Amino acid sequence: MGAGVELRSAVATDRAARDTNEDSAWAADGLYVVADGMGGHEAGEVASRVAIEVVSVLAGAEPTLDDAGDVLREAHRRVRDLPASGERRPGTTLTGVVVTSRDGEPCWLVLNVGDSRTYRMVGGILEQLTRDHSEVAELVAEGLLSVEDAAYHPRRHVVTRVLGGGSASVEPDLWLFPVSQGDRMVVCSDGLTDVLPDARIQAVLRVQPDARDAAERLVREALAAGAQDNVTVVVVDALTVTRTGAPDAAGR
């Protein structure tokens, strides 16, 4: 790559109160993603694993937005072709980042389908980058439900966009922005965000400078808070950035 970035990453996961862990993750070679499967016993585990296998081709590939979109649509087709478990078709969320370049500048390419989340922390401030594809998030966006009430809404886990499932097609959210030294990206399944508010996630990240310590601490705190769903966390830190081109103006 014409521009480089040195990264340090870690992944931690726990099945929590579930019999199996239906989350899958990839955290290597510039690709950092989490998939949260659904569709009944074993089906969700297979769905998330298949999705991760498909998107793993992005690792080290410096993809464009179009490349990433094509790969996610292929993942959708592959998951949708899996046999159904009972009445529910297998499906999975998928979110995260892949490191690529644009005009010689290292960039994060953010990708998202579903209600797992990707965050960025800069200067100790945590920001949710992705928008949840869920009924409750749509109600909040329309001003019909407060953020506080959304955390307890009975339909908060109803997703409106997934890989696989019953929809014939899917349109992922994709965008680019420059990598900055000191960026800390956090990718997680909703097993974490169901029980830990953003303020607590931010507090943990501030006091845990090591990526592995941060990921493992977040999982432990989610379990202590009574997590009922699988919890998976990927933390990736941009330690150094080498720039060779003009400043990149790419945005969402």
Side-chain angles (χ1 to χ4, degrees):
M1 135 180 339
V5 56
E6 180 188 359
L7 303 171
R8 180 173 296 154
S9 66
V11 58
T13 189
D14 197 282
R15 63 185 174 88
R18 298 293 182 91
D19 293 333
T20 61
N21 194 337
E22 295 183 312
D23 290 353
S24 298
W26 181 286
D29 303 322
L31 177 66
Y32 308 94
V33 289
V34 169
D36 180 356
M38 59 198 75
H41 182 65
E42 294 185 352
E45 182 178 356
V46 174
S48 66
R49 185 174 67 246
V50 167
I52 292 292
E53 288 173 355
V54 174
V55 301
S56 68
V57 301
L58 298 174
E62 295 194 34
T64 64
L65 289 169
D66 287 343
D67 294 336
D70 289 344
V71 168
L72 285 171
R73 282 183 280 273
E74 173 61 20
H76 175 72
R77 289 189 289 270
R78 290 273 299 277
V79 175
R80 196 165 183 267
D81 286 343
L82 293 171
S85 176
E87 296 180 357
R88 299 178 63 189
R89 298 182 65 93
T92 184
T93 70
L94 191 140
T95 193
V97 292
V98 57
V99 178
T100 188
S101 64
R102 180 165 173 174
D103 299 328
E105 298 295 315
C107 290
W108 300 112
L109 195 167
V110 182
L111 41 99
N112 185 61
V113 177
D115 64 349
S116 296
R117 292 181 180 176
T118 297
Y119 293 87
R120 179 194 189 202
M121 192 171 81
V122 180
I125 304 301
L126 187 70
E127 175 191 9
Q128 182 180 337
L129 296 180
T130 53
R131 177 176 59 91
D132 294 352
H133 298 144
S134 68
E135 286 190 4
V136 165
E138 292 176 1
L139 291 173
V140 171
E142 293 170 5
L144 301 176
L145 186 68
S146 70
V147 173
E148 294 75 19
D149 290 340
Y152 306 100
H153 196 280
R155 294 183 65 80
R156 64 187 180 277
H157 295 302
V158 179
V159 293
T160 55
R161 209 181 302 183
V162 297
L163 299 178
S167 177
S169 61
V170 69
E171 197 57 40
D173 289 344
L174 301 163
W175 65 91
L176 284 169
F177 68 92
V179 179
S180 296
Q181 185 168 314
D183 281 352
R184 169 165 274 190
M185 311 301 287
V186 180
V187 187
C188 61
S189 59
D190 64 355
L192 179 74
T193 55
D194 278 350
V195 295
L196 293 186
D198 286 3
R200 184 57 196 162
I201 297 172
Q202 175 179 273
V204 170
L205 294 170
R206 284 179 171 178
V207 299
Q208 298 289 348
D210 180 76
R212 181 161 301 282
D213 291 345
E216 292 178 350
R217 171 79 175 271
L218 285 170
V219 171
R220 288 199 306 271
E221 291 218 3
L223 297 175
Q228 297 298 301
D229 198 0
N230 308 147
V231 184
T232 300
V233 180
V234 171
V235 176
V236 53
D237 294 327
L239 303 180
T240 60
V241 180
T242 303
R243 303 190 181 281
T244 61
D248 190 16
R252 300 188 186 187

